[in-house]
Amino acid sequence: MDQESEQPEHFRLYSQRSISIATYFGGPLAAGILARRNFINLGKERSGKSALIIGIFSTILVFTSIFLIPGELIDRIPPALIPLIYTGIIYFVIEKFQGADLKEHKENKRPFYSAWKAAGTGAICLVLIIGSIVTVAYLTPDEFDSQKYYSGIETFKENESAALSIYSKFESATPLEIVSFIDSAGIPSWKQNLMILDEMDNLDGLTDNLKRQNDLLRKYSSSQIELFELIKKSIYENTNKYDHEMQNIQLEIEKILKQIQN
């Protein structure tokens, strides 16, 4: 049984809503990461370790199952259906094991982590799907320069990771520092990825599948630029009026990544 440690007067937890958002974008892995942090902050480190392990294995199970679904059948499944199913399951699991603690935390008016931080965790988890493209590159014909394509994808992923680190800054960085990061590192990283994709489109022997994936990655990077611009505008104007628009872009990004996965 976990030993409850004495809690400080104020400590943060991820809300049920934040965990659901992260789960929708990043799958059970994101839920495991956030549930683990909640358990640790509640003094239940053993439960936190179990939550992370379950999140990892659940993610493997979900995506392995998706890969085993015949192509003609997967095309008939609405892109949002599978994420909605596992998000709903995670919701009830969190409610069962952390619901009482979260309710008490809210009633005592203790602080929660921001939804943006949770969404960032989900986005970073989902980005791991892009790694599957590397495998695809090595399964292409011999006349195709797979090493050059692999190198381009690796640089793409490095830029992507650098840009997505913005979500770890929301808790500690000032608004000015976040805007500075967007201008100096965030948007330039996505623009460089667009240039990488243009170069890879010109590789000899590029298959139709990889061309389609390049097109999806291009839409993905362009959507991220649009999202970063809105984040910057919301900070400059100190307003929440762009939240709905940003949420729609997040949903579009998730949809694109699901298409890449399929």
Side-chain angles (χ1 to χ4, degrees):
M1 181 177 296
D2 289 312
Q3 295 294 321
E4 299 287 347
S5 60
E6 184 178 353
Q7 302 294 348
E9 178 65 21
H10 296 291
F11 64 96
R12 296 179 186 271
L13 295 177
Y14 286 102
S15 68
Q16 176 72 274
R17 176 177 176 272
S18 292
I19 294 175
S20 295
I21 292 172
T23 302
Y24 185 86
F25 290 114
L29 175 60
I33 292 172
L34 301 190
R36 171 182 176 272
R37 173 46 55 191
N38 277 358
F39 276 129
I40 290 175
N41 287 1
L42 290 166
K44 304 176 181 179
E45 293 194 15
R46 186 181 305 172
S47 295
K49 181 178 180 181
S50 298
L52 181 58
I53 292 173
I54 292 172
I56 293 172
F57 281 100
S58 297
T59 301
I60 294 173
L61 178 61
V62 167
F63 291 111
T64 299
S65 299
I66 292 174
F67 290 140
L68 294 176
I69 299 175
E72 61 273 14
L73 179 58
I74 197 70
D75 290 338
R76 300 176 186 176
I77 300 176
L81 180 59
I82 294 176
L84 284 174
I85 291 174
Y86 60 64
T87 299
I89 294 173
I90 294 296
Y91 180 92
F92 288 108
V93 172
I94 295 297
E95 181 63 27
K96 177 177 175 61
F97 292 100
Q98 295 186 352
D101 290 316
L102 292 173
K103 182 179 179 181
E104 180 184 357
H105 193 83
K106 183 177 181 180
E107 290 175 347
N108 290 332
K109 297 182 179 180
R110 288 174 171 171
F112 285 90
Y113 289 112
S114 72
W116 274 109
K117 186 176 179 67
T121 299
I124 291 171
C125 289
L126 186 55
V127 159
L128 296 176
I129 299 171
I130 303 299
S132 63
I133 298 175
V134 174
T135 302
V136 176
Y138 281 110
L139 296 177
T140 51
D142 292 339
E143 65 270 16
F144 173 63
D145 190 348
S146 60
Q147 184 58 42
K148 192 167 185 178
Y149 189 87
Y150 170 83
S151 177
I153 288 296
E154 282 298 301
T155 304
F156 185 102
K157 290 167 62 179
E158 290 172 2
N159 291 336
E160 181 180 49
S161 295
L164 290 177
S165 67
I166 186 176
Y167 293 106
S168 66
K169 300 179 183 296
F170 282 109
E171 291 296 330
S172 58
T174 65
L176 184 60
E177 288 172 336
I178 293 175
V179 169
S180 177
F181 176 86
I182 290 174
D183 285 335
S184 64
I187 291 178
S189 293
W190 295 120
K191 288 184 176 180
Q192 185 180 2
N193 279 355
L194 290 175
M195 296 174 61
I196 290 171
L197 293 169
D198 287 341
E199 293 176 0
M200 293 196 301
D201 279 344
N202 294 321
L203 291 176
D204 292 334
L206 190 69
T207 66
D208 290 340
N209 280 339
L210 290 182
K211 289 178 182 177
R212 283 193 291 270
Q213 289 189 110
N214 281 359
D215 288 339
L216 289 171
L217 288 173
R218 188 173 287 104
K219 292 179 182 178
Y220 165 68
S221 298
S222 297
S223 295
Q224 290 283 13
I225 291 174
E226 187 178 357
L227 177 61
F228 276 45
E229 291 285 6
L230 283 176
I231 293 174
K232 185 169 68 171
K233 286 180 66 176
S234 68
I235 293 174
Y236 269 135
E237 299 174 21
N238 192 25
T239 178
N240 295 324
K241 69 179 181 180
Y242 301 110
D243 284 0
H244 181 68
E245 190 174 353
M246 287 190 288
Q247 183 179 12
N248 287 338
I249 295 175
Q250 286 273 26
L251 290 173
E252 179 63 23
I253 289 172
E254 192 272 343
K255 179 181 177 181
I256 293 170
L257 289 173
K258 292 294 182 183
Q259 289 177 303
I260 293 171
Q261 171 195 327
N262 291 336

